[in-house]
Structure formats: structure tokens, C-alpha cells
Amino acid sequence: MQADFEQSECLYFADGDVALCAASAARKKTVVLRVHKVVLSLHSPVFRDMFSFPPNLAANETLNGVPVVEMQDDADDLELLVSTFY
């Protein structure tokens, strides 16, 4: 993950158990959404399937103790999508 990142203003929960990271073209930073796997899984079969795979322990990256998932989507689009789940 890039060192130049910022926490999402509305989607960064202290008790979140996964960090979704995505680049923002507008902000020119990587944005981190610390959210809950169960919420994502309840609303999206894509997230449910993604979290059902066993973790690759050799490649696991963490941020503040939670696994990091690098997303290819634009951070602003990802925040909009995930905010609808909450």
C-alpha cells in the first residue's frame, strides 16, 4: 500500500475488520475504508465470495491490525458504493 493515504471521513470504523484501499484520482491519495466484512457480505455476493477464500498468509498486508484489500476502483466510487451498504 502507498504510504500517502488518508482515512475515509465517513467509512472508517474503529471496530472495522477489513481495510479497503483505493486510489483517488481527485485527491491524489490512497483512501482507506475500514469497514465490516459482515456488512459487505450481506449486501454483495462479490464481497461475500471474496471473503470466503482462505487468506494468502505470505501476501497478507495489514493496517492497524486488520487485513488490507487493494481495490482497483476509484476511491470516490468505492466510498459511494459502500456507503449505500451502511
Side-chain angles (χ1 to χ4, degrees), residues 23-56:
S24 170
R27 295 182 248 185
K28 301 199 182 349
K29 292 184 182 254
T30 296
V31 179
V32 180
L33 289 67
R34 186 170 175 171
V35 292
H36 307 94
K37 290 179 187 178
V38 68
V39 173
L40 300 177
S41 296
L42 283 171
H43 295 284
S44 167
V46 174
F47 281 115
R48 182 176 54 243
D49 291 347
M50 182 171 60
F51 297 136
S52 70
F53 293 117
N56 179 354

Side-chain angles (χ1 to χ4, degrees), residues 1 10 12 24 26 28 32 44 55-56 61 65 67 76 79-81:
M1 186 175 69
C10 58
Y12 196 92
S24 170
K28 301 199 182 349
V32 180
S44 167
N56 179 354
E61 184 176 356
D76 300 317
E79 282 181 311
L80 184 60
L81 171 70

